[in-house]
DNA sequence: GGCTTATGCGCAG
DNA sequence: TGCGCCTAAGCCA
């Protein structure tokens, strides 16, 4: 379930399970045999996430770069390693447990310089300390592209995926088709602040819950628990179902090859009401 | 058992 | 804009 929170949680867990240890690295699937050999027997110094990218630093300037893509998983387990089940791209084994990587779209070993190059292409990540929201707003406020599309661009803002995109815009009553240049500055900083809270909650719980966190706008009330897709949401994948706030059928459309969900009533261009 | 879908993204054209 | 990657889960039969 890889949006940014998943990768940050993963980094945290990898540090907890392997941090500072010499690890064994193998590629049971054999698709990553050369890469695994580069990491085998090395010290796993630190895991870190930038947006949806995970980096695991080993000694000797070796940096594992993982991107889970749409259906990759990296599952950690304490205790004795089991016989690898399914297609395991990379297995890491330590003193206290092991981890299996499957289905990742990217799994490669980089140098520090190469890693810096990957990070340099990303926009600010709300989950990283010191992330600069204004850097994203510079791009957004200069663009004719819709805010819904801009939120998904990792070079504008790193870590947002289809669920957070839909939920964030709903929570703030922002029309997803509003051009970035028409999004008021104040609205953007509200979105950023809320997004950071939502994603931090996601890191803590491992789920995307957008209906019951502390920052839920009061007027929206508390919809029933659904837990349909690993979290409780207002509009994501609820096409045709009644909006929890106003009862209007949740709308859906394909935008830049991704499914977009929104409430046509709650998300009129309220953001431009200031004009 | 098969088919569809997916919280992503790079690439060809 | 559409395809392919490559995996698992959900749905149907």
């Amino acid at each position: 379930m890889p949006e940014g929170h998943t990768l940050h949680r993963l980094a945290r867990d990898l540090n907890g399970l392997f941090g500072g240890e010499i690890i064994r690295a193998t590629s049971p699937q054999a698709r990553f045999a050369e890469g695994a050999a580069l990491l085998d027997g090395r010290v796993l110094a630190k895991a870190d996430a930038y947006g949806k990218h995970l980096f695991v630093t080993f000694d000797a300037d070796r940096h594992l770069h993982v991107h889970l893509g749409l259906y990759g998983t990296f599952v950690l387990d304490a205790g004795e390693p089991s016989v690898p089940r399914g297609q395991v791209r990379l297995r890491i084994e330590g003193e206290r447990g092991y981890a299996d990587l499957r289905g990742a779209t990217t799994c490669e070993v980089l140098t520090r310089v190469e890693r810096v190059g990957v990070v340099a292409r990303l926009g600010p990540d709300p989950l990283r300390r010191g992330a600069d929201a204004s850097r994203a707003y510079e791009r957004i406020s200069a663009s004719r592209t819709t805010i819904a599309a801009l939120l998904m661009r990792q070079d504008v803002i790193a870590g947002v995926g289809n669920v957070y995109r839909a939920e964030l815009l709903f929570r703030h009553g922002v029309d997803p088709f509003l051009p970035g240049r028409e999004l008021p500055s104040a609205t953007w900083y509200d979105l950023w602040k809320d997004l950071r809270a939502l994603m931090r909650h996601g890191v803590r719980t491992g789920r995307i819950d957008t209906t019951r966190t502390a920052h839920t706008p009061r007027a929206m009330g508390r919809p029933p628990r659904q837990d349909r897709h690993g979290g409780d949401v207002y509009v994501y994948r609820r096409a045709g179902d009644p909006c929890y706030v106003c009862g209007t059928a949740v709308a859906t459309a394909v935008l830049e090859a991704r499914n977009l969900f929104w409430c046509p009533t709650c998300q009129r261009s309220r953001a431009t009401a200031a004009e």
Side-chain angles (χ1 to χ4, degrees):
Chain A
M1 327 332 99
E3 294 196 26
H5 69 299
T6 303
L7 285 301
H8 282 263
R9 184 178 172 86
L10 210 41
R12 186 197 67 184
D13 292 348
L14 284 166
N15 284 322
L17 193 57
F18 302 119
E21 269 186 26
I22 292 174
I23 56 87
R24 304 281 311 176
T26 54
S27 181
Q29 189 185 1
R31 274 196 54 192
F32 186 59
E34 322 77 44
L38 289 172
L39 307 179
D40 191 37
R42 303 257 156 223
V43 174
L44 190 158
K46 189 169 188 285
D48 227 340
Y50 291 81
K52 299 171 189 170
H53 296 257
L54 175 71
F55 295 95
V56 189
T57 308
F58 294 82
D59 61 309
D61 194 29
R62 291 169 191 196
H63 303 259
L64 175 67
H65 174 214
V66 170
H67 193 296
L68 294 177
L70 191 53
Y71 35 62
T73 58
F74 207 168
V75 178
L76 281 61
D77 197 359
E80 286 300 302
S82 63
V83 176
R85 201 175 306 156
Q87 306 286 26
V88 177
R89 186 86 48 90
L90 170 67
R91 166 169 283 191
I92 293 175
E93 294 179 22
E95 290 298 314
R96 288 164 290 146
Y98 67 100
D100 285 343
L101 175 68
R102 294 177 166 83
T105 194
T106 300
C107 175
E108 60 187 359
V109 178
L110 303 179
T111 64
R112 191 189 64 81
V113 171
E114 290 170 325
R115 164 184 171 156
V116 167
V118 172
V119 174
R121 282 180 243 124
L122 299 173
D125 174 351
L127 284 174
R128 291 199 67 89
R129 227 182 293 279
D132 181 5
S134 69
R135 189 154 69 88
Y137 190 63
E138 280 172 24
R139 293 281 308 278
I140 291 166
S141 61
S143 176
R144 280 185 290 263
T145 305
T146 62
I147 185 61
L150 288 167
L151 282 175
M152 295 285 278
R153 298 202 182 157
Q154 302 300 301
D155 58 341
V156 172
I157 177 169
V160 177
N162 209 8
V163 184
Y164 281 125
R165 182 252 304 255
E167 295 297 302
L168 184 68
L169 293 176
F170 176 83
R171 283 164 62 91
H172 294 264
V174 174
D175 177 353
F177 297 99
L178 186 76
R181 55 166 33 163
E182 293 177 28
L183 186 76
S185 167
T187 305
W188 166 248
Y189 290 100
D190 282 348
L191 288 171
W192 174 273
K193 183 179 171 192
D194 192 30
L195 183 59
R196 192 161 56 177
L198 289 173
M199 293 182 77
R200 282 180 176 167
H201 179 83
V203 174
R204 278 197 299 277
T205 62
R207 301 151 37 95
I208 300 181
D209 293 312
T210 63
T211 69
R212 291 181 175 259
T213 59
H215 293 269
T216 300
R218 234 185 317 169
M220 290 182 183
R222 300 272 171 171
R225 279 215 174 272
Q226 319 144 54
D227 199 19
R228 289 158 54 119
H229 308 284
D232 295 331
V233 295
Y234 283 105
V235 291
Y236 177 71
R237 282 242 251 174
R238 293 194 61 245
D241 292 343
C243 169
Y244 291 129
V245 174
C246 75
T248 304
V250 171
T252 187
V254 176
L255 177 68
E256 295 190 354
R258 304 302 301 276
N259 294 319
L260 173 66
F261 303 89
W262 78 101
C263 171
T265 300
C266 293
Q267 295 174 260
R268 290 193 220 280
S269 294
R270 206 158 63 195
T272 55
E275 68 196 33

